[in-house]
Amino acid sequence: MWRGNSPGGNPGAAPEGTGGELGGQGDWGLEDAPGLLARAPLPVTPAWPLPLAAPALTLLLGALTSLFLWYCYRLGSQDMQALGAGSRAARVSRGPRGCSEAGRLGPGSSGEPGEGPRAEGLVCRRLRAYARRYSWAGMGRVRRAAQGGPGPGGGPEVLGIQRPGLLFLPDLPSAPFVPRDAQRHDVELLESSFPAILRDFGAVSWDFSGTTPLPRGWSQPLAPGCYQLLLYQAGRCQPSNCRRCPGAYRALRGLRTFMSANTFGNAGFSVLLPGARLEGRCGPTNARVRCHLGLKIPPGCELVVGGEPQCWAEGHCLLVDDSFLHTVAHNGSPEDGPRVVFIVDLWHPNVAGAERQALDFVFAPDP
């Protein structure tokens, strides 16, 4: 058998190279293969310290589980508190029935029960259902509103000039009257539709004497001298009235911030006869802005919101935060005729898109 010789004539010696390792120069035979393989460096793979990793992983999973259970407990505790606050809010929101010019277009009280769920507990349940279907992202103010009660101070007992009857969205900039620029697109669209809306009113108008049967489409007067014909009532379209008022309906369909799918949303004609007066009341929420388009404004009409007096102008819009205490009066003579405005509920400009979507889900009209 052939046998290689290493340098220096020493058979079987380790081949030369760096440190005598595999890869040096020299001659060797097949019988040297086991020795060479034994001397070859092998890749070093550090063993994973399983005895140490297993307890650490167990501790980490236990900590995460504890945090999750604590979070669920907190959610449950807050919801139970909201349920208790909701029962008080529901009792407060039920008041004497009346017709509110800035606070409501339709049946209800100053707190507007019937425009949304009657208890805060129902609001919390619907909000949780929304979060399970979508996400809690961007829901901080809505969640606090559902849990903290309808009043600006966190409860219905708080007194002040801003007392929404059902839902108070915290940290929302509020003023009795909102600048026109806040809803420029919708304001300009309504004002450009003034002639068509006025024609629609003429087509459905009557003498408002009260001596004749109430015409079709007009709501029963909830206060002396206060009448309304609604195209949308509590988020529901009134098809027969919309067909009779095509110009007004077309304008509503072009609005970007109309609360058309929310029980807080109303739209229609509001008529106030001479001598009628609607004393102070507040709307259901500060999340909306009520837009008044003046159609027929005789002398002696006034609107006081949060202690600030204003008056309508024919063909122009007035944006009102009806969650403030407000009073409406027609002090003119019978010869002056009724005061007529077209009222539309719009989203407050500072309510974010995610919050609008959540509130539309929570306060969706019942099927």
Side-chain angles (χ1 to χ4, degrees):
M1 179 181 298
W2 177 84
R3 182 180 184 88
N5 295 322
S6 62
N10 185 11
E16 291 184 0
T18 304
E21 297 197 351
L22 186 66
Q25 296 179 356
D27 297 328
W28 56 86
L30 293 178
E31 60 272 19
D32 297 320
L36 292 173
L37 292 176
R39 294 171 58 88
L42 298 177
V44 179
T45 304
W48 181 258
L50 290 179
L52 296 179
L57 184 60
T58 302
L59 290 175
L60 179 60
L61 291 176
L64 292 176
T65 303
S66 301
L67 286 175
F68 176 74
L69 293 176
W70 175 83
Y71 178 73
C72 294
Y73 169 77
R74 291 285 298 173
L75 284 180
S77 301
Q78 293 172 354
D79 290 338
M80 290 302 296
Q81 295 173 1
L83 286 173
S87 61
R88 296 193 301 270
R91 291 194 297 270
V92 171
S93 65
R94 297 183 178 94
R97 294 173 64 84
C99 175
S100 169
E101 283 295 316
R104 176 159 169 76
L105 262 177
S109 69
S110 59
E112 299 190 44
E115 282 201 338
R118 291 185 177 259
E120 294 296 320
L122 180 57
V123 175
C124 288
R125 290 195 296 271
R126 290 186 176 180
L127 187 58
R128 289 199 304 272
Y130 173 85
R132 285 194 298 268
R133 181 177 298 184
Y134 300 103
S135 170
W136 283 109
M139 294 297 103
R141 290 195 301 190
V142 177
R143 189 172 174 182
R144 280 185 288 157
Q147 295 172 346
E157 300 85 359
V158 179
L159 299 180
I161 61 173
Q162 187 182 24
R163 300 196 303 269
L166 183 60
L167 179 78
F168 179 80
L169 202 60
D171 303 328
L172 193 65
S174 298
F177 295 96
V178 179
R180 291 165 45 90
D181 290 343
Q183 299 287 10
R184 177 183 293 274
H185 173 272
D186 290 352
V187 165
E188 292 180 349
L189 178 59
L190 287 171
E191 290 180 349
S192 64
S193 303
F194 167 72
I197 297 175
L198 185 60
R199 282 196 303 270
D200 288 344
F201 175 75
V204 298
S205 181
W206 56 298
D207 60 3
F208 302 105
S209 62
T211 59
T212 59
L214 200 64
R216 178 170 58 93
W218 287 87
S219 304
Q220 292 289 337
L222 301 179
C226 178
Y227 298 91
Q228 56 257 332
L229 184 141
L230 301 177
L231 279 66
Y232 278 80
Q233 182 175 12
R236 289 178 175 274
C237 178
Q238 308 299 308
S240 60
N241 290 344
C242 290
R243 284 193 294 267
R244 300 169 63 195
C245 304
Y249 178 70
R250 190 178 304 111
L252 292 176
R253 297 292 294 174
L255 298 178
R256 294 177 179 173
T257 60
F258 175 39
M259 303 177 76
S260 58
N262 194 299
T263 54
F264 293 138
N266 303 275
F269 299 99
S270 174
V271 177
L272 195 66
L273 300 183
R277 183 178 181 86
L278 302 173
E279 294 297 339
R281 60 194 65 218
C282 296
T285 179
N286 66 330
R288 77 179 185 189
V289 171
R290 180 150 279 190
C291 180
H292 292 206
L293 173 64
L295 299 181
K296 294 184 178 182
I297 311 299
C301 298
E302 66 175 357
L303 169 66
V304 181
V305 182
E308 299 182 15
Q310 275 283 3
C311 188
W312 303 271
E314 295 182 359
H316 295 278
C317 289
L318 189 64
L319 298 179
V320 179
D321 185 343
D322 69 311
S323 65
F324 285 86
L325 191 68
H326 55 269
T327 301
V328 183
H330 185 347
N331 301 319
S333 63
E335 293 77 16
D336 294 330
R339 184 238 55 186
V340 183
V341 294
F342 186 71
I343 299 182
V344 185
D345 289 326
L346 308 176
W347 282 105
H348 191 288
N350 293 103
V351 178
E355 295 172 325
R356 297 179 185 184
Q357 181 179 342
L359 291 175
D360 276 343
F361 182 91
V362 172
F363 295 98
D366 294 331

